[in-house]
Amino acid sequence: MCGIIGIVGQESVSPRLYDGLTLLQHRGQDAAGIATCHEGRLILRRGAGLVRDVFSTGDMQRLEGTMGIAHVRYPTAGTSGQAESQPFYVNSPYGIVMGHNGNLTNADVLKRELFESDLRHINTQSDSEVLLNVFAHELQDLKPSTNLTADMIFSTVAAVHRRCRGAYAVIGMVVGRGVFAFRDPLGIRPAVIGHRQSETGTEYAIASESVALQGLGFNLLRDIAPGEAVYIDVEGNLHTEQCAQNPVLSPCIFEYVYLARPDSIIDNISVYKSRLRMGETLARRILQERPDHDIDVVIPIPDTSRTSALEVAVNLGVKYREGFIKNRYIGRTFIMPGQQLRKKSVRQKLSPIDLEFNGKTVLLVDDSIVRGTTSGQIVQMARDAGAKKVYFASASPPVRHPNVYGIDMPAVEELIAHDKDTAEIEKAIGADWLVYQTIEDLIEAVRYDKHPIEDFETSCFTGEYITGDVDKNYLDALEKLRSDNSKRQQSSADDLIVL
């Protein structure tokens, strides 16, 4: 999960790219980067940390130009830290800079091809650098002239689709020529395009979520279709083309559960409305399993579950209360690297309001239960605050399988539900009882009637990988690479750049 944004405007874009990244900060807290183009020269600043920490006033003054791209990183492949912050850059052909959200499932095969056949060097462990070099090689293979055309970009993207597997929403810039974007043929990761009229002409912006466009004053045009490429040249002309042979819209359902901001619209579905419907279906499930419940109050685990929890309370006919106060200066614990850091952060992040728990039977609602680390600690916090009974409900089904398309839940033994049934998970987190959403109800909640989405990417719940190239060997290799233990071993080299 990462955040991408690009703008082709009529005035300096760096302030708006910065603001856009802050609106996408929830998609990545590890690193940030901005690249702009001014008078045929690339200007790039990137580094480890939050957006506010990476860029100084001097950086923003130096990032001149009327077109540029930006990225916030949440590491699922490679290591964390400055060395693998994005955008990445290659100088041939033209000079290309690129940011990527997702994960390539055939990155190792592509690395070998790039080294043995394409004669390109990959300097990091990031699959984003692999994707950039595949794009650059395919564009170079067209024997391009000084005049870069939209058709050349589209032919290159078509070749990328033929070679690359997995999830990828991409934003890129060809120095002095324009900004491009494309989405994988299944549309697993989101990307939207918007426009606005300035005094001197039309400006275009592309981003991971519509909330970034809205916050910058752009009007949402539409989602980029699966397999589609978009190219905005330096004159501000918009070109689009479908570049995949058999695109099928299959977005990641976890975007609606947790990843995206509630005020975003993804593939023409309101994230907020989908979470309301998750609350409705979850309440229905609770009434089926616990018709004689004695719940006094429904309390959400802030922030993502608030919308669903409110609708649970309404449909159960019980009170809704804010029982936890969130420390705004602690990031999202789900996307923090390392189990020890996550455990420490939960207690720093949430503080209970004892009055809302004391002597009451409480239903805690969360968007999901992944490792169970947060859930167990929060149940205990509720008991320590005086709750008589503590029930727990998850707005999504049990997470039993690793996600390989850009979400950091790869090591099976780190998933609390991978080898446990509901009763065992209930005991493990210390709840008096536990209710999960079903996968059927979750899909019903997200996909309302007559919506064009043909399928959803639901692998972390079902173990079914829609790209068709993920087997046990792949998952075993990924587990060794991405487990918390592996990340601890990698951390010592986080900021070492090896040339």
Side-chain angles (χ1 to χ4, degrees), residues 239-311:
H239 312 267
T240 66
E241 186 167 302
Q242 177 54 253
C243 300
Q245 292 185 342
N246 298 296
V248 178
L249 181 57
S250 307
C252 173
I253 205 165
F254 211 71
E255 290 279 354
Y256 301 93
V257 171
Y258 173 82
L259 301 182
R261 274 182 42 157
D263 42 348
S264 283
I265 296 174
I266 297 177
D267 289 314
N268 205 34
I269 293 176
S270 164
V271 175
Y272 175 75
K273 289 289 189 181
S274 69
R275 289 177 185 170
L276 282 177
R277 292 189 290 268
M278 289 177 208
E280 294 175 7
T281 55
L282 182 58
R284 186 173 68 202
R285 182 75 173 176
I286 292 169
L287 290 172
Q288 289 173 350
E289 293 192 11
R290 305 283 177 171
D292 56 348
H293 72 80
D294 55 347
I295 300 167
D296 295 317
V297 61
V298 173
I299 293 177
I301 312 301
D303 283 323
T304 323
S305 64
R306 279 197 172 105
T307 309
S308 296
L310 178 59
E311 203 65 15

Side-chain angles (χ1 to χ4, degrees), residues 145-160:
S145 63
T146 304
N147 181 33
L148 177 67
T149 66
D151 286 342
M152 291 164 63
I153 293 290
F154 298 148
S155 294
T156 300
V157 173
V160 169

Side-chain angles (χ1 to χ4, degrees), residues 59 112 143 196 288 295 326 414 441:
D59 293 330
R112 287 195 298 271
K143 297 180 172 51
R196 74 174 191 174
Q288 289 173 350
I295 300 167
K326 181 179 178 181
E414 294 171 13
D441 284 346

